[in-house]
Amino acid sequence: MASRKSTARPKSAKPDATGPARSRGSDRRGNGDELHQSAGGRHPVLTTNQGVPLSDNQNSLRAGERGPSLLEDFILREKITHFDHERIPERIVHARGSGAHGYFELTRSLKKYTRARVLTEVGKRTPVFARFSTVAGGAGSVDTPRDVRGFAVKFYTDEGNWDLVGNNIPVFFIQDAMKFPDVVHSVKMEPDRGFPQAGSAHDTFWDFVSLSPETMHMVMWAMSDRTLPRSLRMMEGFGVHSFRLVDDKGRSTFAKFHWRPKLGIQSTLWDEAMKLQAADNDFHRRDLFEAIQSGNFPEWELAVQLFTEEEAEAFPFDHLDATKLVPEELVPLTVVGRMVLDRWPDNFFAETEQVAFCPSHVVPGIDFSNDPLLQGRLFSYLDTQLSRLGGPNFHQIPINAPRCPFANLQRDGHMQMAVPKGRVNYEPSSLQGDSPRATPGGFASHATPLDDGAKGRVRAGSFADHYSQARQFYRSQSAPEQAHIASALVFELSKVGTAHVREAIVGHLRHVDPALARRVADGLGMTALPPAPPAAVKPQDLPPSPALQIIARMKDTLQGRSVGILIDDGSDAAALKAVRTAVESAGATAVIVAPRLGGARLDGGRQQAADGQLAGTPSTVFDAVAILLSEEAGKRLAREAAAVDFVRDAWGHLKAIATDDGGRLLLKAGGVGKDAGVVDAGDTRAFIKAARTRQWAREPKVRTLA
Ligand code: HDE
């Protein structure tokens, strides 16, 4: 009897009536401890949700040792019922996401333009919660499909919550909210077959695109490497729409919001992204988690583009059209603050899953523009969250609740957590002196003059040019980036089974750039160029904007990135130390990979543990690799597929490779050739220099690009 009692059993818990019977059974089998396991230490008392202490959390209430379970077992029923309801409906878009806590610090006051204190009090740190997401895939889908990324930030300001709910691309597929359900239906898995998951490479998406020329600008961005971020820490964020900043005199200025990563923009290659889907489903989530846990806090600058109504009138496009961006060359960016993410959530569900962002959450001094896409969003988010989070009181969930005092006369409803006191739940009232009232300093909508046009389902004529900025984007790219866009289009359209859809897309591309259309047509094996559809407005040649490139915006740094070092028995201990020190001094993480996790015995006899086992740690998860092998190990690993793939992929993904003589035997087996990025492991300076970028000049040698 004594042996079945766990040391951690709560003192207050009395063995229930069935205890002795079960224990006799257990004792007879001699495994009583197995059925009443408990870790040692000082644990709080385990209770039901009603606070009733439990004496047994491992055995249900049964009618005898081999009899049926009893309905009476309220403990089992409560536990299973709660479990049955552990999932809530996932977001219809942006279901897969990763979030983190941090702060926003204002470095430059926008007092001239706004009365929002979050943008006027320099030095003040406002708590934030940021969530990054893919759009199309379900909550359990992979982190690295070709997809737009959500970039949503909740600022818990002293004047209420401000949510900046943006993407990592500054434009959107459509101009009017009316088309949102259609574009989303078209990109998500096809309804009859239930695939593909998390990808746009299928007929329904491209069918929608082919019939909606307004998508062409965003399609150029989506086919670029912007949709293949290397890390969530290395992507930009954009508020997309024009917002209004309003000062204390009611004067308004338009503002576009930009997040710029401290580590610069970095992307993966398509082949790498596909292989990452197998190597690590959680590549981005893990990367964000590890960076925060190791104290390398991700950081972004917040910048704004500010322009007046009159300046906007002179733009060669309509800034209220979300398929258009305001080039930096036209309106420069002003950096006003920084966001640092320094705390991983304590609980994924309670925080990252239950967080509810809403573009209509603005504070006094920030207001909306008439962008018809933004206007539709103002309704949608609260509506979807009512069903996702189960009722009208989800603002009380800790992750959603304002951190400043809040009070109103809304009452009751599902999951009301507060206990409002008093008689007065209406306004005006004279019965209770402390009931909340509106204040003259509160939020007031900007008195935007309206034109006197007639009511109607209309699209502004100023929204009609669908190709000029698509052309500007494509022509602003570097040669490798243009090749990636062409190749991405060939890949995606090769997955489209319907010939007329493929042809229609190539037709649109003729308006974007005739050479691009030709490349894609050749890549698809089309013998003749399909006709271009009529364009409502003749595409313009806008000046190129180098700020739209990734390559031009990459930072010449290895900060925040990761280098894999492959070793085996007999590897040179001094070389390992030198490479590792160089990598870490450059601000990157050195990760030792070996055929066995226990590591390898280095040439001096020291046993070096590995961080990753070769078969489960392919080079796709690194930014550069070093191959440090004895001759014997080089020969052995040249016959090992995982090792050969390790170097073959590093070469194919244009990564810097440092090697010694033993490593060269493996490189040969992996078909690695010579170029500036393949360096001697002894020359750590050259290795670090090469590792800071990709070897773009190698690309034509390793793959056929469209
Ligand atoms: Fe969203 N969007 N969206 N969206 N969106 C949602 O809200 C919607 C749009 C964006 O991490 C949903 O709570 C409409 C543009 C992000 O939780 C939903 C329209 C941009 C997130 C919704 C748009 C975004 C969402 C789904 C066109 C970039 C994830 C779950 C009128 C500026 C936020 C939810 C998070 C989520 C509707 C267009 C960004 C259904 C109707 C443009 C980052 O309400």
Side-chain angles (χ1 to χ4, degrees), residues 168-248:
N168 74 331
I169 288 179
V171 289
F172 202 64
F173 286 114
I174 48 168
Q175 299 174 318
D176 190 303
M178 190 66 139
K179 295 182 89 167
F180 189 69
D182 299 298
V183 66
V184 172
H185 283 171
S186 82
V187 75
K188 291 200 69 121
M189 64 186 191
E190 298 193 11
D192 55 350
R193 58 210 66 188
F195 62 83
Q197 175 69 243
S200 54
H202 57 117
D203 289 52
T204 54
F205 175 69
W206 288 101
D207 185 28
F208 178 85
V209 166
S210 73
L211 297 168
S212 314
E214 71 201 66
T215 58
M216 286 318 284
H217 186 195
M218 175 84 159
V219 161
M220 287 295 116
W221 284 79
M223 293 301 109
S224 80
D225 296 346
R226 293 265 179 171
T227 43
L228 311 173
R230 152 70 180 87
S231 160
L232 302 171
R233 301 174 290 139
M234 298 171 198
M235 62 182 200
E236 293 185 315
F238 302 91
V240 176
H241 317 278
S242 294
F243 287 84
R244 281 179 187 276
L245 297 185
V246 184
D247 71 7
D248 46 12

XYZ file of all heavy atoms in Angstrom, residues 168-248:
655
model
N 4.285 41.612 -45.840
C 5.684 41.868 -46.196
C 5.820 42.325 -47.654
O 6.915 42.321 -48.200
C 6.559 40.632 -45.929
C 6.345 39.534 -46.954
O 5.259 39.403 -47.516
N 7.373 38.739 -47.216
N 4.702 42.693 -48.243
C 4.672 43.215 -49.615
C 3.827 44.485 -49.567
O 2.771 44.493 -48.930
C 4.075 42.133 -50.558
C 5.102 41.015 -50.727
C 3.666 42.724 -51.903
C 4.667 39.876 -51.606
N 4.270 45.566 -50.220
C 3.591 46.856 -50.009
C 2.313 47.064 -50.810
O 1.690 48.113 -50.704
C 4.656 47.867 -50.441
C 5.491 47.138 -51.423
C 5.501 45.705 -51.013
N 1.954 46.091 -51.651
C 0.723 46.234 -52.445
C -0.123 44.987 -52.245
O 0.318 44.017 -51.618
C 1.040 46.430 -53.948
C 1.638 47.793 -54.180
C 1.951 45.329 -54.479
N -1.340 45.005 -52.796
C -2.225 43.859 -52.614
C -2.763 43.390 -53.965
O -2.644 44.069 -54.962
C -3.353 44.210 -51.639
C -3.964 42.989 -51.019
C -3.220 42.162 -50.197
C -5.280 42.633 -51.294
C -3.768 41.018 -49.640
C -5.851 41.496 -50.736
C -5.086 40.683 -49.915
N -3.347 42.187 -53.952
C -3.821 41.586 -55.203
C -5.005 42.340 -55.817
O -5.181 42.335 -57.024
C -4.287 40.140 -54.952
C -3.161 39.166 -54.744
C -2.972 38.548 -53.523
C -2.288 38.852 -55.783
C -1.940 37.633 -53.326
C -1.255 37.942 -55.597
C -1.086 37.325 -54.368
N -5.853 42.898 -54.964
C -7.120 43.444 -55.467
C -7.332 44.864 -54.957
O -6.701 45.291 -53.990
C -8.308 42.556 -55.026
C -8.195 42.254 -53.527
C -8.379 41.279 -55.861
C -9.435 41.647 -52.931
N -8.255 45.558 -55.607
C -8.473 46.970 -55.280
C -9.691 47.194 -54.396
O -9.825 48.247 -53.796
C -8.678 47.748 -56.594
C -7.475 47.678 -57.515
C -7.742 48.337 -58.862
O -8.816 48.167 -59.433
N -6.757 49.058 -59.365
N -10.598 46.230 -54.392
C -11.876 46.444 -53.711
C -12.171 45.225 -52.836
O -12.017 44.074 -53.273
C -12.975 46.613 -54.775
C -14.293 47.080 -54.171
O -14.831 46.403 -53.266
O -14.792 48.126 -54.617
N -12.631 45.484 -51.617
C -12.899 44.408 -50.663
C -13.883 43.375 -51.212
O -13.866 42.205 -50.809
C -13.450 44.998 -49.373
N -14.716 43.796 -52.144
C -15.728 42.903 -52.709
C -15.093 41.643 -53.301
O -15.714 40.585 -53.361
C -16.488 43.675 -53.793
C -17.700 42.985 -54.294
S -18.912 42.876 -52.981
C -20.405 43.219 -53.854
N -13.823 41.744 -53.742
C -13.195 40.599 -54.411
C -12.375 39.731 -53.456
O -11.778 38.745 -53.879
C -12.293 41.101 -55.547
C -13.080 41.779 -56.664
C -12.177 42.228 -57.803
C -12.013 41.114 -58.827
N -11.412 41.618 -60.088
N -12.317 40.104 -52.178
C -11.427 39.381 -51.263
C -11.809 37.908 -51.096
O -10.958 37.021 -51.233
C -11.364 40.094 -49.909
C -10.321 39.532 -48.990
C -8.970 39.693 -49.265
C -10.670 38.835 -47.849
C -8.000 39.166 -48.421
C -9.708 38.316 -47.004
C -8.368 38.478 -47.291
N -13.089 37.597 -50.832
C -13.423 36.171 -50.705
C -13.051 35.384 -51.964
O -12.648 34.218 -51.883
C -14.941 36.181 -50.482
C -15.207 37.526 -49.861
C -14.241 38.463 -50.539
N -13.140 36.026 -53.145
C -12.826 35.311 -54.379
C -11.328 35.033 -54.514
O -10.922 33.917 -54.825
C -13.334 36.118 -55.586
C -14.838 36.299 -55.533
O -15.545 35.276 -55.566
O -15.306 37.444 -55.402
N -10.515 36.055 -54.242
C -9.072 35.811 -54.384
C -8.618 34.774 -53.353
O -7.798 33.895 -53.652
C -8.247 37.125 -54.317
C -8.305 37.805 -52.973
C -6.789 36.858 -54.675
N -9.206 34.821 -52.164
C -8.799 33.852 -51.133
C -9.289 32.445 -51.493
O -8.530 31.471 -51.424
C -9.291 34.291 -49.741
C -9.052 33.200 -48.712
C -8.580 35.569 -49.310
N -10.549 32.343 -51.922
C -11.027 31.013 -52.343
C -10.137 30.445 -53.445
O -9.832 29.261 -53.461
C -12.469 31.108 -52.869
C -13.492 31.226 -51.783
N -14.815 31.494 -52.032
C -13.389 31.120 -50.439
C -15.484 31.539 -50.892
N -14.631 31.316 -49.907
N -9.724 31.323 -54.366
C -8.974 30.805 -55.520
C -7.593 30.299 -55.121
O -7.069 29.372 -55.725
C -8.864 31.869 -56.612
O -7.819 32.784 -56.345
N -6.989 30.899 -54.093
C -5.612 30.500 -53.754
C -5.588 29.338 -52.772
O -4.637 28.543 -52.747
C -4.793 31.699 -53.216
C -5.174 32.080 -51.802
C -3.297 31.417 -53.301
N -6.630 29.216 -51.963
C -6.622 28.107 -50.992
C -6.841 26.787 -51.734
O -7.080 26.765 -52.931
C -7.680 28.351 -49.908
C -7.266 29.548 -49.011
C -7.926 29.605 -47.666
C -7.516 28.555 -46.709
N -6.933 29.053 -45.444
N -6.744 25.673 -51.017
C -6.872 24.375 -51.694
C -8.169 24.318 -52.500
O -9.175 24.908 -52.121
C -6.812 23.244 -50.678
C -7.951 23.253 -49.698
S -7.704 21.997 -48.440
C -9.310 22.023 -47.660
N -8.126 23.619 -53.624
C -9.308 23.569 -54.482
C -10.403 22.777 -53.773
O -10.128 21.728 -53.176
C -8.930 22.999 -55.851
C -7.913 23.911 -56.538
C -7.691 23.614 -58.014
O -8.456 22.825 -58.608
O -6.744 24.202 -58.570
N -11.653 23.278 -53.822
C -12.683 22.754 -52.920
C -13.101 21.317 -53.195
O -13.540 20.617 -52.288
C -13.859 23.710 -53.148
C -13.605 24.340 -54.472
C -12.125 24.397 -54.631
N -12.971 20.857 -54.442
C -13.422 19.488 -54.712
C -12.369 18.469 -54.293
O -12.674 17.407 -53.781
C -13.787 19.322 -56.202
C -12.655 19.725 -57.137
O -11.657 20.320 -56.661
O -12.755 19.436 -58.346
N -11.062 18.820 -54.415
C -10.022 17.808 -54.167
C -9.258 17.994 -52.869
O -8.538 17.103 -52.435
C -9.068 17.747 -55.356
C -8.386 19.063 -55.684
C -8.071 19.190 -57.159
N -9.319 19.253 -57.934
C -9.384 19.211 -59.252
N -8.296 19.138 -59.973
N -10.539 19.266 -59.873
N -9.362 19.179 -52.294
C -8.686 19.390 -51.011
C -7.185 19.567 -51.123
O -6.474 19.399 -50.142
N -6.672 19.922 -52.250
C -5.267 20.282 -52.410
C -5.165 21.300 -53.544
O -6.138 21.447 -54.278
C -4.391 19.037 -52.657
C -4.732 18.270 -53.915
C -4.231 18.658 -55.167
C -5.547 17.150 -53.866
C -4.535 17.946 -56.310
C -5.863 16.434 -55.020
C -5.364 16.838 -56.235
N -4.020 21.991 -53.692
C -2.815 21.888 -52.867
C -2.928 22.753 -51.604
O -3.655 23.731 -51.581
C -1.733 22.427 -53.787
C -2.431 23.447 -54.625
C -3.828 22.940 -54.810
N -2.189 22.357 -50.618
C -2.148 23.066 -49.347
C -1.073 24.152 -49.435
O 0.036 23.884 -49.858
C -1.788 22.070 -48.241
C -1.590 22.648 -46.862
C -2.886 23.162 -46.249
O -3.025 24.338 -45.990
N -3.828 22.264 -46.020
N -1.410 25.364 -49.044
C -0.418 26.425 -48.845
C 0.368 26.812 -50.091
O 1.532 27.143 -49.989
C 0.564 26.020 -47.734
N -0.256 26.759 -51.258
C 0.511 27.139 -52.441
C -0.374 27.736 -53.514
O -1.562 27.408 -53.623
N 0.218 28.614 -54.315
C -0.565 29.260 -55.369
C -0.418 28.557 -56.710
O -1.063 28.953 -57.690
C -0.140 30.724 -55.497
O 1.258 30.813 -55.689
N 0.435 27.513 -56.792
C 0.724 26.876 -58.077
C -0.393 25.902 -58.469
O -0.207 24.686 -58.469
C 2.074 26.160 -58.010
N -1.573 26.452 -58.756
C -2.668 25.591 -59.209
C -3.673 26.397 -60.029
O -3.675 27.635 -59.995
C -3.337 24.860 -58.037
C -3.874 25.726 -56.943
N -5.202 25.792 -56.629
C -3.260 26.567 -56.088
C -5.385 26.627 -55.615
N -4.220 27.098 -55.269
N -4.541 25.669 -60.715
C -5.390 26.291 -61.726
C -6.275 27.418 -61.188
O -6.412 28.464 -61.823
C -6.307 25.246 -62.381
C -5.513 24.313 -63.280
O -4.505 23.739 -62.801
O -5.889 24.163 -64.453
N -6.923 27.202 -60.033
C -7.944 28.170 -59.634
C -7.324 29.543 -59.347
O -7.878 30.575 -59.714
C -8.756 27.680 -58.411
O -7.858 27.344 -57.345
C -9.597 26.460 -58.745
N -6.145 29.557 -58.722
C -5.511 30.844 -58.437
C -5.182 31.575 -59.742
O -5.528 32.738 -59.938
C -4.240 30.665 -57.597
C -3.489 31.956 -57.387
C -4.020 32.951 -56.583
C -2.275 32.187 -58.015
C -3.344 34.168 -56.415
C -1.602 33.391 -57.845
C -2.129 34.377 -57.047
N -4.530 30.863 -60.652
C -4.093 31.533 -61.879
C -5.275 31.863 -62.791
O -5.220 32.812 -63.582
C -3.007 30.707 -62.571
C -1.728 30.799 -61.776
C -1.221 29.883 -60.908
C -0.835 31.930 -61.733
N -0.058 30.359 -60.330
C 0.200 31.601 -60.821
C -0.799 33.169 -62.368
C 1.249 32.487 -60.546
C 0.243 34.049 -62.088
C 1.257 33.701 -61.183
N -6.355 31.088 -62.669
C -7.574 31.418 -63.413
C -8.087 32.784 -62.942
O -8.380 33.678 -63.747
C -8.622 30.318 -63.147
C -9.882 30.497 -63.969
O -9.794 31.078 -65.077
O -10.958 30.061 -63.509
N -8.157 32.942 -61.597
C -8.621 34.224 -61.037
C -7.705 35.361 -61.493
O -8.168 36.416 -61.943
C -8.654 34.148 -59.503
C -9.075 35.432 -58.857
C -10.419 35.734 -58.679
C -8.124 36.366 -58.456
C -10.810 36.956 -58.106
C -8.510 37.582 -57.884
C -9.856 37.865 -57.709
N -6.390 35.118 -61.408
C -5.423 36.153 -61.788
C -5.618 36.534 -63.252
O -5.651 37.716 -63.623
C -3.984 35.648 -61.531
C -2.951 36.528 -62.225
C -3.709 35.608 -60.023
N -5.779 35.514 -64.090
C -5.848 35.782 -65.533
C -7.059 36.651 -65.869
O -7.052 37.375 -66.854
C -5.901 34.469 -66.320
O -7.177 33.863 -66.164
N -8.098 36.591 -65.028
C -9.312 37.361 -65.294
C -9.370 38.646 -64.471
O -10.366 39.355 -64.496
C -10.541 36.484 -65.000
C -10.632 35.249 -65.913
C -11.670 34.265 -65.396
C -10.942 35.659 -67.342
N -8.307 38.923 -63.717
C -8.275 40.108 -62.847
C -6.950 40.834 -63.046
O -6.019 40.675 -62.249
C -8.408 39.703 -61.370
O -9.444 38.768 -61.192
N -6.849 41.641 -64.098
C -5.553 42.278 -64.387
C -5.032 43.146 -63.252
O -3.828 43.384 -63.164
C -5.839 43.121 -65.640
C -7.262 42.938 -65.988
C -7.874 41.906 -65.105
N -5.913 43.581 -62.343
C -5.433 44.403 -61.225
C -4.451 43.637 -60.341
O -3.719 44.234 -59.555
C -6.627 44.895 -60.387
C -7.324 43.799 -59.570
C -8.753 44.170 -59.168
O -9.609 44.295 -60.066
O -9.018 44.334 -57.971
N -4.417 42.306 -60.457
C -3.506 41.507 -59.624
C -2.045 41.563 -60.105
O -1.149 41.115 -59.401
C -3.914 40.017 -59.609
O -3.903 39.545 -60.961
C -5.286 39.798 -59.007
N -1.828 42.074 -61.334
C -0.517 41.864 -61.962
C 0.658 42.458 -61.177
O 1.734 41.868 -61.129
C -0.507 42.409 -63.405
C -1.274 41.560 -64.386
S -1.051 39.775 -64.197
C 0.555 39.571 -64.892
N 0.462 43.612 -60.542
C 1.580 44.187 -59.796
C 1.959 43.264 -58.625
O 3.117 42.880 -58.462
C 1.204 45.585 -59.294
C 2.345 46.310 -58.641
N 2.180 47.423 -57.873
C 3.685 46.063 -58.626
C 3.348 47.849 -57.427
N 4.285 47.034 -57.859
N 0.957 42.881 -57.842
C 1.233 41.999 -56.687
C 1.783 40.653 -57.157
O 2.621 40.048 -56.471
C -0.067 41.803 -55.905
C 0.038 40.814 -54.763
S 0.695 41.585 -53.274
C 0.140 40.458 -52.014
N 1.316 40.173 -58.306
C 1.819 38.890 -58.817
C 3.330 38.976 -59.058
O 4.071 38.031 -58.772
C 1.053 38.483 -60.106
C 1.819 37.446 -60.915
C -0.330 37.947 -59.745
N 3.799 40.116 -59.538
C 5.245 40.274 -59.749
C 5.991 40.125 -58.417
O 7.020 39.467 -58.328
C 5.557 41.654 -60.355
C 5.169 41.806 -61.792
S 6.135 40.700 -62.840
C 4.826 39.667 -63.437
N 5.453 40.756 -57.384
C 6.077 40.639 -56.049
C 5.989 39.196 -55.541
O 6.947 38.664 -54.989
C 5.368 41.546 -55.043
C 5.679 42.995 -55.156
C 5.145 43.872 -56.068
C 6.588 43.764 -54.363
N 5.659 45.129 -55.862
C 6.535 45.100 -54.826
C 7.416 43.462 -53.284
C 7.297 46.129 -54.253
C 8.178 44.472 -52.716
C 8.123 45.792 -53.201
N 4.834 38.579 -55.752
C 4.633 37.219 -55.219
C 5.561 36.224 -55.916
O 5.976 35.224 -55.316
C 3.175 36.807 -55.381
N 5.886 36.483 -57.172
C 6.785 35.573 -57.898
C 8.250 35.913 -57.647
O 9.152 35.217 -58.101
C 6.487 35.632 -59.401
C 5.128 35.075 -59.786
S 4.912 33.325 -59.297
C 3.722 33.507 -57.965
N 8.495 37.010 -56.942
C 9.890 37.352 -56.619
C 10.291 36.614 -55.341
O 9.463 35.980 -54.673
C 10.023 38.865 -56.407
O 9.572 39.211 -55.110
N 11.537 36.731 -54.961
C 12.015 36.034 -53.763
C 11.490 36.675 -52.467
O 11.780 36.182 -51.378
C 13.550 35.994 -53.744
C 14.111 35.181 -54.916
O 13.329 34.447 -55.552
O 15.319 35.295 -55.201
N 10.713 37.761 -52.574
C 10.096 38.356 -51.377
C 9.192 37.352 -50.664
O 8.971 37.464 -49.457
C 9.224 39.552 -51.761
C 9.995 40.716 -52.295
C 10.308 41.706 -51.218
N 11.084 42.806 -51.778
C 11.371 43.915 -51.119
N 10.967 44.086 -49.886
N 12.089 44.856 -51.672
N 8.627 36.430 -51.426
C 7.718 35.460 -50.808
C 8.471 34.227 -50.294
O 7.849 33.233 -49.913
C 6.636 35.026 -51.813
O 7.261 34.815 -53.079
C 5.542 36.060 -51.956
N 9.820 34.302 -50.302
C 10.632 33.192 -49.785
C 11.585 33.731 -48.719
O 12.809 33.579 -48.833
C 11.460 32.557 -50.911
C 10.735 32.182 -52.214
C 11.746 31.733 -53.276
C 9.720 31.081 -51.954
N 11.070 34.372 -47.659
C 12.012 34.991 -46.720
C 12.942 33.972 -46.057
O 12.531 32.856 -45.757
C 11.111 35.664 -45.681
C 9.734 35.200 -45.926
C 9.671 34.550 -47.264
N 14.175 34.376 -45.853
C 15.149 33.531 -45.158
C 14.758 33.389 -43.690
O 14.936 32.352 -43.082
C 16.538 34.156 -45.324
C 17.559 33.888 -44.226
C 18.021 32.444 -44.216
N 18.985 32.198 -43.165
C 18.690 31.869 -41.912
N 17.427 31.760 -41.520
N 19.650 31.653 -41.027
N 14.224 34.472 -43.146
C 13.851 34.488 -41.731
C 12.781 35.554 -41.567
O 12.763 36.541 -42.315
C 15.087 34.849 -40.900
O 14.714 35.310 -39.630
N 11.925 35.375 -40.582
C 10.943 36.424 -40.298
C 11.656 37.683 -39.828
O 11.155 38.790 -39.961
C 9.964 35.936 -39.221
C 9.202 34.654 -39.593
C 8.426 34.112 -38.400
C 8.274 34.891 -40.777
N 12.862 37.493 -39.294
C 13.662 38.627 -38.809
C 14.274 39.409 -39.954
O 14.905 40.426 -39.745
C 14.804 38.118 -37.914
C 14.345 37.333 -36.721
C 15.527 36.746 -35.974
N 16.195 35.681 -36.693
C 17.518 35.521 -36.764
N 18.315 36.377 -36.176
N 18.031 34.495 -37.418
N 14.194 38.846 -41.162
C 14.874 39.460 -42.300
C 13.881 39.835 -43.387
O 14.174 39.734 -44.568
C 15.945 38.508 -42.838
C 17.019 38.211 -41.810
S 18.144 36.908 -42.309
C 18.861 36.460 -40.716
N 12.683 40.195 -42.979
C 11.741 40.666 -44.000
C 11.179 42.027 -43.604
O 11.125 42.376 -42.431
C 10.636 39.655 -44.244
C 9.757 39.360 -43.065
S 8.538 38.106 -43.493
C 7.325 38.420 -42.192
N 10.780 42.773 -44.642
C 10.169 44.075 -44.410
C 8.688 43.906 -44.098
O 8.103 42.856 -44.381
C 10.322 44.956 -45.659
C 11.763 45.321 -45.942
C 11.907 46.285 -47.108
O 11.261 46.091 -48.146
O 12.703 47.230 -46.975
N 8.103 44.923 -43.534
C 6.655 44.938 -43.323
C 6.104 46.242 -43.870
O 6.806 47.259 -43.888
N 4.851 46.198 -44.315
C 4.227 47.389 -44.900
C 2.782 47.487 -44.419
O 2.064 46.479 -44.410
C 4.203 47.289 -46.433
C 5.565 47.114 -47.056
C 6.086 45.841 -47.286
C 6.330 48.217 -47.408
C 7.338 45.667 -47.855
C 7.588 48.050 -47.977
C 8.103 46.776 -48.200
N 2.364 48.690 -44.086
C 0.950 48.897 -43.741
C 0.046 48.831 -44.965
O -1.163 48.805 -44.850
N 0.636 48.869 -46.146
C -0.011 48.787 -47.457
C -0.847 50.040 -47.774
O -0.496 50.786 -48.687
C -0.842 47.504 -47.641
C -1.592 47.500 -48.981
C 0.061 46.269 -47.555
N -1.940 50.243 -47.058
C -2.828 51.354 -47.414
C -2.229 52.691 -46.988
O -1.363 52.750 -46.134
C -4.170 51.223 -46.688
C -4.706 49.843 -46.694
N -5.401 49.326 -47.753
C -4.636 48.844 -45.783
C -5.752 48.084 -47.480
N -5.281 47.770 -46.291
N -2.771 53.756 -47.555
C -2.506 55.077 -46.986
C -3.382 55.231 -45.750
O -4.574 54.904 -45.790
C -2.893 56.183 -47.981
O -2.064 56.146 -49.108
N -2.777 55.699 -44.681
C -3.547 56.081 -43.488
C -3.465 57.600 -43.369
O -2.719 58.243 -44.111
C -2.960 55.423 -42.228
C -3.240 53.947 -42.163
C -2.422 53.034 -42.813
C -4.335 53.472 -41.466
C -2.695 51.675 -42.772
C -4.614 52.119 -41.415
C -3.793 51.220 -42.068
N -4.221 58.142 -42.434
C -4.122 59.570 -42.169
C -3.524 59.783 -40.785
O -3.905 59.087 -39.836
C -5.504 60.218 -42.158
C -6.084 60.490 -43.504
C -7.462 61.111 -43.343
N -8.138 61.232 -44.626
C -7.962 62.249 -45.466
N -7.145 63.236 -45.142
N -8.601 62.275 -46.615
N -2.607 60.726 -40.679
C -2.199 61.227 -39.373
C -2.937 62.546 -39.175
O -3.021 63.348 -40.116
C -0.689 61.451 -39.323
C 0.186 60.200 -39.494
C 1.650 60.560 -39.307
C -0.221 59.108 -38.515
N -3.476 62.765 -37.985
C -4.281 63.964 -37.752
C -3.730 64.693 -36.527
O -3.559 64.083 -35.459
C -5.765 63.579 -37.527
C -6.615 64.838 -37.396
C -6.272 62.709 -38.664
N -3.439 65.994 -36.689
C -2.840 66.734 -35.561
C -3.928 67.313 -34.650
O -5.125 67.107 -34.894
C -1.861 67.805 -36.074
C -2.567 68.977 -36.747
O -3.824 69.029 -36.709
O -1.870 69.836 -37.301
N -3.502 68.057 -33.621
C -4.506 68.500 -32.642
C -5.403 69.607 -33.189
O -6.388 69.981 -32.566
C -3.844 68.886 -31.308
C -2.640 69.759 -31.508
O -2.461 70.239 -32.640
O -1.877 69.954 -30.552
